[in-house]
Amino acid sequence: MLNSVSSLDRTDITILRVLQAEGRISNVELSDRVHLSPPATLARVRRLEEEGYISGYAAMLNREKLGHDNLALIEIALELHQHERIAEVLDRLVAMPEVLECYHVTGEYDYMIKVSTVNNRALDHFIATRLIPLPGIARIHTSIVLKALKQTTQLDLPEP
């Protein structure tokens, strides 16, 4: 079932806006911001979680401080056309810890992955030993990110 933002009221939207910007905010502080009691606020947050509007909470780590100086966007074209084989390749691909994100895309390539490695040598090793050996890979195109101009996980929600 698809959820719709139209089924959310102003308070729900405000809760989502605050939580996506300040995921560690206490329930008491959140309840002050949305002008509800803490139990009512907590009930709304739990409902938003249960209905799938909030899919999880995570800390945003600094890649560079942790030694992951290389970020690459890799486009992959498959030569496979059997659904079972494609599913097998994709299962192996998304299980790789270097792969941060994986998208099925339109255009010349079938998939795009975002990969984090410690350096170019590690990226080369990842491509040569993990990616190329996957069965059914027809072509790979790699772009190395020189500088991230914008990185966010915050969605543009309507004004409450």
Side-chain angles (χ1 to χ4, degrees):
M1 178 179 133
L2 292 175
N3 291 322
S4 169
V5 74
S6 63
S7 65
L8 300 175
D9 65 18
R10 296 173 66 96
T11 303
D12 290 334
I13 296 288
T14 302
I15 289 170
L16 293 174
R17 282 175 161 267
V18 171
L19 284 178
Q20 76 173 346
E22 303 171 54
R24 290 177 49 109
I25 192 171
S26 72
N27 184 59
V28 171
E29 204 174 330
L30 180 59
S31 65
D32 286 343
R33 297 249 196 110
V34 297
H35 311 292
L36 290 176
S37 69
T41 302
L42 184 58
R44 281 190 182 245
V45 170
R46 287 196 174 134
R47 179 181 51 79
L48 291 167
E49 291 169 346
E50 288 167 5
E51 292 178 1
Y53 290 101
I54 299 171
S55 61
Y57 300 88
M60 302 297 292
L61 304 181
N62 184 319
R63 227 177 11 83
E64 290 87 2
K65 275 197 168 292
L66 294 166
H68 282 247
D69 292 328
N70 195 312
L71 187 65
L73 303 175
I74 302 175
E75 296 172 297
I76 301 169
L78 298 180
E79 61 187 20
L80 299 171
H81 297 293
Q82 298 171 335
H83 291 292
E84 299 81 26
R85 293 293 308 246
I86 292 171
E88 177 188 331
V89 169
L90 293 177
D91 286 345
R92 289 175 59 187
L93 188 64
V94 300
M96 296 176 183
E98 300 88 349
V99 176
L100 302 178
E101 299 173 25
C102 180
Y103 301 98
H104 188 202
V105 297
T106 62
E108 189 176 336
Y109 292 87
D110 301 307
Y111 296 90
M112 179 180 285
I113 59 174
K114 180 175 165 182
V115 174
S116 177
T117 58
V118 295
N119 56 33
N120 281 341
R121 183 176 298 155
L123 177 63
D124 180 58
H125 184 262
F126 169 78
I127 292 170
T129 65
R130 309 278 308 279
L131 215 49
I132 290 174
L134 287 175
I137 300 290
R139 288 187 329 275
I140 297 172
H141 178 261
T142 303
S143 298
I144 295 176
V145 175
L146 299 176
K147 181 179 178 181
L149 301 176
K150 181 177 181 178
Q151 289 180 281
T152 186
T153 59
Q154 295 184 29
L155 299 176
D156 182 23
L157 297 174
E159 291 295 325

